[in-house]
Each structure stands twice: as C-alpha cells, then as structure tokens.
Amino acid sequence: MKGLKLNKYKLLELFAPVFGFIVSLLILLLVVMLVGERPGKVFAAIYKFTFSTTSRLATVFSIAIPLFLAGLAVAFAFRAGVFNIGVEGQYFIGGMVGAMAGIYLKMPSFLHIPMVVLASMAGGALWAAVPAILKIRKGVHEVITTIMFNSIALALVNYLVNGPLSGVEPGTNLEAQTRHIRDTAMFGTLNHVFRALGLNIPDHVYLDYSLIVAIIMGFCVWFLLFRLRYGFEVRAVGTSTDVAKYAGVRIGRVQIGAFLFSGALAGLVGLQEIFAIRGFYTFEIASGIGFDGIAIALIGRNSPIGVVFSSIMFAFLKQAGYGLQLYTSVPNSVIYVITGLMILIIVVSNEVVMRYIRSLRKKEAV
Amino acid sequence: MEMFFDFILKGLEMSSPIAFAAIGAVFSERSGVVNIALEGIMIITCFFIVWGAIVFQSIMMGLLVAVLAGMLIALIHAVVSVTFRVDQIVSGVGLNILAFGIARFLSQKIFAQEAQSEINAFLFPQVMGISVFVFALIPITAIAWFVLYKTVFGMRLRSVGENPDAADTLGVNVFWMRYAGVLISGGMCGLAAATLYPSQWVSGMTSGRGYIALAAMIFGRWHPVGAVLAALLFGYADTFRIMFETRIPIPGQFVQMLPYILAVVVLAGMVGRSRAPAADGLPYGKGEE
C-alpha cells in the first residue's frame, strides 16, 4: 500500500516536464499557423530532419552527446544549490586545455586519449574555481560571476588562438585556429560497432568516443549522487542549507567540490567537436551549448537519467529547428522561443504539482 | 582637451543604458525580486524602440512601445516568480532565452533578417554629440530616489523586500508591491534602450549590459544614486576600451575583458560591506512558514 502511494507521487512529479513539452509543442503549432504555414508541411519538415532515415536519427543522438554533458554539468551543480551559468566559458577553456594536451604532448594513443579528457576536465574546473571561491569565501552570487567569466573566457581564447597558440601558416587565408591535434589524441568513431549491430550509420555522423565519455560521466554522477556519502551531502545542501548545517554538513566544502566537478564536466562539452570533428581548436567551436545545458538540466529534473532523456529531446528540437529553417518560412529562432517557454511552463507546473503533493501529504498525515 | 570632453560625454552616453537598467533593478530587488531577466528585457526593448520608431515615425512612440514591451516581459517574470513562487533565477534564465528567441523571430518576420533590423532614422536630437535623452538620467535618478525614500509607495515597496510578513500584517499588499517593483524594472529597460544605439537593432547588441546593470546595482548598495554612480564606472571603463583600444600596446582582447573583470573585482571587494534586502530572492506565500 505504501509503495503504491510513493509511485503516485513519482507519477505526479513526472507530470510537469511532460505537460511543459506538450504545451510548448502546441504553442509551436500556433506560431506556425500564425506565420501562415500549413501544420502538415511543418511536421513533414521536422520528420524529414529527425526520424526519416537511420542517418538522421543517428544525428540526433550525435548532437545529444555534448548537450548531455552540458546538462549534466548544470544539473550536478544545481543539486548542491549552485547555479552554474558558466558552463559556456568552462567548455571554451576546458576544450582549449584539452587541445593543448592533444597538440603538445607525445604519448601512445591509449594514454593520450584519457590524457586529453582529463586535461579538458582540469581546464573546465580551473575556470569554475574563481567563481566557486568567490561564492564560498565572499558570498558573491555565482550567477553574475560566471556570466562575466563566460565573456572573459571568450576574449581569452580569441586572443590565444590568434596569438601564442595560432597554428595558421602565415600567408594562408584560414580562420584563426591552433595547430592540428596529434593523431594519437584523435577520437575514433563507434560507427563500425553500430554497423556490426545492424545500424547503418554513415561516416559523416559522429558517434565517437565522446559517447563513451558521456556514458561514463553519467554513471559517475549517478553513483556519486546516490551511492556515496558525499552525494548525500550534496543533495542535503541542495534541499536546504539550514537543515544541512544542523546536520553538520560543511556547506562551503560541499559546494566548492560540486562547483569544481560541474566545471570539470563542462570542460568535456567540446570533446566531440574538437577531437572528433575538427581536429584542431578554434574559438569558433559551437557556442550556446552551456545555456542549452540549463534548460536540459531543468527539464531533466537534475537527475542523470532525466538529463539523458531531456538532452535527446533537446537535440531533436535543434534538428527540428534546422528542418524548419530549410523547408518552411518558420525561422530557426522559434526553437529558442519554445525552449524559453518550456522552461517557464515546466517550473510553474512543477510548483503547482509540488503544492498539490504537499497538500495531499498533509491530508494523509491527519 | 577636445578628446577629454569627448571622453566625458561619450562615457555618459555609454553609462546611461546600464544606469537606467540598474535603477530599475533597485526597484525590483528592493521589493524582494531578483531580476536576472534584465538582459532579455533589454533585448526586447532595444528591438521594440526601433520597430516602434519606424512604424510610428517618431522616437517618442518608439520609446513608449519599448517601455510597454519591457513591462510586458517583466510581467511574465512577476507572474512566474511572485504568483507561482518559482525560483527567481530560474525564471529569469528562462525569460532570457525566450526574449532572445522572440527578438530574432520578430526580426526575421518583420525585417526579413534574423540578426538585425532596418536602420531607424527617427532619433532623439543630439546635444554636444550625444543623444539628448542621456540627460534625462539626472531627473530620473532624482525621481527614483524621491519615490523610494520619500513616498508611502516607496516605503511600502522597501518594507516588502525587507520583511514581507510584517508588511503583510500591517496591510501592505506584498504581491502588488512586488509586481510594481518588477514592472518598474521592465519599464526602465525601455529607457535603457533609448540610449543604447536606437538607430538599429542588432542581435547581441546588449552584450551582457543587463548583467552588468545587476552588478552596478549591488555595487551601488541597492540605492538608486549608488547604482547610477556604479553604472558610470562601468560605462566609462567601456568607453575607455572603445576609444583607446587601438592605442594601447596590449592585445585588444584583454582590453575587451576590462568591464567584465571590473565587475568581478568590484563584486568581490564589495561583499560584506553591503547588504541585500533581507527578503531579496525569497518567494512569499501568505500564511506559510
């Protein structure tokens, strides 16, 4: 009987994200009709870009990898009550440190690849360190400092790629970029594995080693949060700092650790683009993924498993946006509108559901 | 000498969008609502001042449209964070993404370009090389100070941010006061847009000024005059960057970091010496502990 009731609450908690997703899609439909497109044409465009072939579907999963890592980074910090908006800057710096390890270190491949992964994590954690320390020691709210650090990171890598780390031969007319990463540090793809499983994924779709990294990190975060004492402390701090304090948790230490680990996870966001797709570093690696990560974490309710689903859904939305851009008169930016709305609807309906659950529990207690 | 005057005036112009937004932020936070959506609201107001001016062929109408648009977006923040008591930062982040999308979407549909609008020729007249509207900052700062500290409304607004329970007991409507604070901050973003290149909307033109305005408000100790003075600091730092970037022997990218590093340093040095309103950032629910 008790187990049944728990399940009821769990189901109610799932209501908010599902409701948010559905309402957002309905709004998308409304916008589409206001713009004067036929819904049929719009759905055809979305279908064509997302589900129509194995290759398209695989692309959705491919772009979900960096999104997952970004969402995981934000979610982990959230769990400890830290709002890490700095994922953007952290992966720009993390990617650069990783790329440097890939360019300037010489070692066999089986060492070099873990090395660049660790270097990227170190870079991301490094960039999170100052906002983390300022938050704990000085009480400066991390939202403003991390946003400032995003801008600083962008200018910094812009300088480094154009200056000391530039790998562009004088006279050639290439965009600013570093030297090429050594072959020993380059990520192979897993496409042959999927082919062996009967899924024919063409070579231009990147299901590369960063997928393995993402799976390992997802498992690590789950294990840390739900199986270790530290994870319990993280969740306690995130739920209520007062209660955690009375229970003897050292809040500052827990939050600094979570902030740094979140930065380390963020450092991994650029892996796919740098080590599998481009093979060099440029400040023009895809931007905005850090902010997508906030939406993904919120929609995934800050749990590693939730983030798996929400990052795939987000990748689907992104691809759908490109489809709309190409085949209809609905601009790609509608996806940002939908994302913003989805966040707002989810948090509002979540609040309403939580209040409802609380009142149910009160009644049960009586 | 001429360059010095140029620097003083240009600096004032560069400071005023941050200053207007920071004054607005003071009202919002004094009522107890953190408004991180300032950045997104500014994106929207910058778009609508250009659109309004072009459509009605008058910058005053553009300003009116921008103020209304700013208040409308702010209203969403108020509904989500005051009525539904959602975490104010989460609501602000969601709104920023939404605003970014709305501006680009409208630009694509109205001006057939996603990242920039048409040129708007209806501008405020220039005085000494800068927009005359910049000088409105002085009376508006004075009015903001007067409203906050010398009127019943201002006192109630501040009481709601300090101790909503007590204010509620004394018959102050906490919700309406907080709505007012947030809506004022949205309207002020409309004024900010009037001094931030109203000749054309370009995606990304606000470049973090909404967040800088928040930093200015904190540095200004949640006081309108303090916030404006802090905004001047950031505005002049930015003007210095623009005017002297090419003459300084250090790489341009480091000069570009200046306002952001300044914001972090200022915030790090400030804390402990200033205090946020006691109920700032906390949702208020009647009869809840």
Side-chain angles (χ1 to χ4, degrees):
Chain A
M1 190 61 199
K2 208 175 179 192
L4 207 75
K5 264 175 201 158
L6 268 177
N7 280 338
K8 185 175 76 183
Y9 293 134
K10 276 264 184 297
L11 271 179
L12 271 174
E13 281 176 26
L14 273 179
F15 169 78
V18 174
F19 178 74
F21 185 67
I22 292 171
V23 172
S24 313
L25 278 187
L26 287 177
I27 291 173
L28 175 66
L29 207 65
L30 194 74
V31 172
V32 161
M33 297 205 287
L34 282 178
V35 168
E37 276 290 356
R38 277 186 302 114
K41 193 175 166 197
V42 168
F43 283 123
I46 292 177
Y47 172 76
K48 199 167 154 85
F49 250 69
T50 50
F51 291 123
S52 60
T53 60
T54 327
S55 155
R56 291 282 189 208
L57 194 59
T59 307
V60 170
F61 283 93
S62 164
I63 57 180
I65 299 170
L67 291 174
F68 169 76
L69 288 164
L72 198 63
V74 179
F76 186 74
F78 254 136
R79 283 282 182 166
V82 173
F83 208 126
N84 184 6
I85 304 200
V87 170
E88 190 78 8
Q90 287 147 16
Y91 80 75
F92 269 86
I93 299 293
M96 193 197 65
V97 174
M100 280 165 69
I103 295 166
Y104 297 106
L105 294 179
K106 253 186 174 170
M107 49 180 75
S109 198
F110 72 94
L111 282 176
H112 210 172
I113 287 176
M115 191 67 203
V116 297
V117 172
L118 289 177
S120 301
M121 292 180 82
L126 180 79
W127 205 245
V130 177
I133 291 167
L134 283 178
K135 178 184 168 66
I136 306 306
R137 284 285 154 80
K138 298 265 184 177
V140 185
H141 201 294
E142 68 275 19
V143 166
I144 296 182
T145 47
T146 50
I147 286 170
M148 297 301 148
F149 265 66
N150 287 343
S151 301
I152 297 170
L154 199 61
L156 182 66
V157 295
N158 189 337
Y159 163 72
L160 290 172
V161 169
N162 275 296
L165 299 179
S166 172
V168 182
E169 302 284 325
T172 53
N173 203 8
L174 287 172
E175 62 166 308
Q177 53 178 248
T178 62
R179 282 170 37 194
H180 275 269
I181 289 159
R182 285 181 197 279
D183 285 341
T184 46
M186 286 296 286
F187 285 16
T189 64
L190 303 168
N191 293 17
H192 59 278
V193 179
F194 289 102
R195 239 169 259 152
L197 293 171
L199 292 165
N200 195 12
I201 296 164
D203 285 334
H204 63 84
V205 179
Y206 286 91
L207 290 172
D208 54 289
Y209 295 170
S210 66
L211 177 62
I212 302 174
V213 175
I215 292 170
I216 293 173
M217 288 303 152
F219 179 76
C220 282
V221 168
W222 172 82
F223 190 79
L224 214 158
L225 273 178
F226 299 106
R227 287 292 175 272
L228 291 186
R229 185 194 151 86
Y230 173 71
F232 179 75
E233 290 180 347
V234 164
R235 287 184 290 137
V237 172
T239 312
S240 163
T241 43
D242 288 337
V243 173
K245 204 184 283 170
Y246 289 129
V249 177
R250 286 152 86 178
I251 294 170
R253 264 186 32 179
V254 169
Q255 286 193 323
I256 283 204
F259 211 148
L260 293 182
F261 187 54
S262 168
L265 290 170
L268 300 170
V269 170
L271 285 183
Q272 182 186 50
E273 182 161 7
I274 297 162
F275 293 94
I277 300 177
R278 290 189 188 245
F280 54 84
Y281 182 82
T282 148
F283 64 91
E284 285 176 357
I285 56 171
S287 62
I289 300 176
F291 291 97
D292 297 341
I294 300 167
I296 290 165
L298 286 173
I299 296 167
R301 302 184 51 83
N302 301 325
S303 91
I305 297 152
V307 170
V308 171
F309 288 107
S310 63
S311 59
I312 292 168
M313 189 206 73
F314 216 82
F316 165 80
L317 272 182
K318 279 205 150 184
Q319 279 300 95
Y322 294 129
L324 291 177
Q325 181 95 325
L326 208 60
Y327 293 117
T328 73
S329 58
V330 183
N332 189 8
S333 49
V334 77
I335 296 305
Y336 291 99
V337 178
I338 297 301
T339 307
L341 280 178
M342 208 187 304
I343 293 179
L344 294 177
I345 297 169
I346 287 175
V347 290
V348 166
S349 43
N350 193 38
E351 200 62 37
V352 173
V353 168
M354 282 310 183
R355 258 183 250 172
Y356 178 63
I357 290 179
R358 233 173 288 150
S359 71
L360 277 187
R361 286 221 160 120
K362 256 184 203 160
K363 259 184 216 155
E364 254 167 49
V366 168
Chain B
M1 200 58 197
E2 198 181 315
M3 205 161 109
F4 178 70
F5 272 118
D6 203 30
F7 176 69
I8 295 293
L9 287 165
K10 278 270 167 350
L12 200 58
E13 187 166 40
M14 290 294 289
S15 309
S16 47
I18 303 169
F20 282 126
I23 294 174
V26 170
F27 276 88
S28 178
E29 301 233 355
R30 278 289 176 138
S31 76
V33 183
V34 175
N35 192 352
I36 196 140
L38 285 182
E39 179 75 8
I41 299 176
M42 268 169 92
I43 294 175
I44 293 288
T45 55
C46 284
F47 178 85
F48 273 102
I49 196 166
V50 171
W51 178 81
I54 292 176
V55 169
F56 297 104
Q57 309 210 332
S58 145
I59 185 71
M60 283 314 283
M61 284 306 290
L63 182 60
L64 183 68
V65 174
V67 168
L68 291 178
M71 290 172 83
L72 191 68
I73 300 288
L75 181 66
I76 305 179
H77 186 52
V79 170
V80 172
S81 63
V82 178
T83 301
F84 286 100
R85 284 178 267 156
V86 167
D87 185 302
Q88 295 164 2
I89 303 241
V90 171
S91 163
V93 168
L95 264 181
N96 283 339
I97 298 174
L98 179 66
F100 174 80
I102 290 180
R104 287 180 72 99
F105 181 87
L106 290 176
S107 182
Q108 173 75 49
K109 282 291 139 200
I110 296 171
F111 299 111
Q113 272 175 309
E114 198 170 9
Q116 61 188 54
S117 73
E118 282 168 20
I119 304 285
N120 161 35
F122 305 96
L123 299 174
F124 284 105
Q126 300 252 317
V127 174
M128 295 185 284
I130 60 171
S131 162
V132 68
F133 194 78
V134 170
F135 297 101
L137 181 60
I138 299 160
I140 285 173
T141 309
I143 293 170
W145 169 81
F146 184 82
V147 169
L148 260 185
Y149 289 96
K150 298 290 165 197
T151 64
V152 176
F153 169 78
M155 197 201 68
R156 286 185 177 157
L157 187 100
R158 285 182 293 129
S159 73
V160 159
E162 287 293 342
N163 193 338
D165 289 313
D168 201 354
T169 316
L170 293 173
V172 179
N173 191 323
V174 177
F175 294 99
W176 290 131
M177 281 297 137
R178 290 194 165 180
Y179 266 78
V182 177
L183 287 182
I184 290 172
S185 76
M188 289 302 287
C189 287
L191 303 191
T195 48
L196 187 65
Y197 311 113
S199 55
Q200 190 188 22
W201 176 80
V202 182
S203 182
M205 69 188 286
T206 51
S207 62
R209 281 184 179 82
Y211 303 118
I212 300 263
L214 280 180
M217 177 218 52
I218 297 171
F219 189 38
R221 304 180 182 200
W222 286 267
H223 188 288
V225 178
V228 170
L229 292 177
L232 290 175
L233 176 71
F234 289 114
Y236 276 101
D238 212 18
T239 316
F240 180 79
R241 167 182 78 81
I242 292 169
M243 283 181 77
F244 299 104
E245 194 167 6
T246 50
R247 302 181 199 202
I248 303 172
I250 56 173
Q253 290 93 350
F254 285 102
V255 189
Q256 280 165 17
M257 294 177 200
L258 193 66
Y260 309 115
I261 293 179
L262 187 68
V264 173
V265 171
V266 153
L267 289 175
M270 257 323 277
V271 176
R273 276 182 286 148
S274 75
R275 193 181 64 81
D280 199 11
L282 302 176
Y284 179 69
K286 243 188 168 117
E288 282 193 16
E289 63 275 43

